[in-house]
Amino acid sequence: MSIETLSQLTDAVAAPRLVIKVGSALLVGKDGAPRRAWLTLLVAEIAAARARGQDVIVVSSGAIALGARKLGLARGGRGSLADAQAAAAVGQIALAGLWAELLAAHGLIAAQVLLTLEDLEERRRYLNVTATLGTLLASGAVPVINENDTVATEEIRFGDNDRLAARVGQAAGASAVLLLSDIDGLYDRDPRLEGAVRVPVVRGVTPEIHAMATGGSSSGLGSGGMTSKLQAAEIAGLAGIALAIIDGRPDSPIAAALAEERGTLFCSPGKARARKAWLGGKLRMKGAVTVDAGAAAALARGSSLLAAGVTAVEGTFLRGDAIAVHGPDGTVLARGLSEYDAAECTALMGHPSAEHEALLGYAPRSALIHRDQLVML
Ligand code: GLU
């Protein structure tokens, strides 16, 4: 079910899994202290979403801003990378503590996850993030994610939590990413200019859409701005995920903005096509497996690929690498991320799952390629 309106983001069927990104300027006041009253109301909205049956992942900024105040650093801790890293180390504890405390008031368990760019770029680590987030959500916890600013150096950092939120949405198989901003959406020109009009719905982030972004964050506390939000919308779109920008400044910002359709919704072209684009187009294949007719038929029905149906393994690939799946006649049927390395695939091929533990000497995965990590071509 594709998301066409903002109000669908409160619908547990249309949007079973939400990523909610909260920017620094919303979480931290001009005095450098947390905006506790506002956050308490936001957490009540998150608890309401959970009560409706929606999974919620929070991407929370604010570590640098909070830590800078405690350490007395100039420029909100953003004067240098070293300052930002030190500030984040101090601020992240306070930030996570605050989320944990406020979520606990609703009986919800907070789970801190600190990620770097490479955790999501590298396939094996990406799969691990996917698995961890899945387990946390299945256990009813609310993951509270931030970039691991203290260890992420300039070259390997996201730097803004907008794109991080989109990548997390991709890794977690979210339905939508909701960016709470200090503006109520994308405007067709600099919003300070007379006659600027908010764009309610965007279908495809075209060069014309990019031209509308003025860049720079108005608050000076965060590092986002509209440019990084558009990049986030592109990442989300490729993964088949809707992304919305709403104004986070009012108390209880989510319910009213969604009900009144006040924001900008970036619709995605649809899950299947987008996942195919991501796996089929973006990744180089590191190897291939050939399957028998039975496995080919099972894949066509939407099943995961089991080792029992594999007849040959080619290439040297690692767990998490993208591999091709060939049918009995050699045609490429699918592409997916392998749960095992090439040697393990060779050891397991042709063997029913019940034999895998003995063959491997450790607990096996449920499939050679899980259907969530597989696209039929
Ligand atoms: N990770 C940064 C922090 O916690 C925020 C990045 C951003 O402003 O988007 O302070």
Side-chain angles (χ1 to χ4, degrees), residues 1-18 48-55 173-176 240 242 271:
M1 185 174 188
S2 73
I3 293 171
E4 300 285 325
T5 62
L6 282 177
S7 60
Q8 281 176 291
L9 298 187
T10 55
D11 178 342
V13 176
R17 187 165 287 182
L18 286 180
R50 294 280 297 118
R52 284 193 297 267
Q54 293 177 290
D55 288 337
S175 344
K271 198 123 198 147

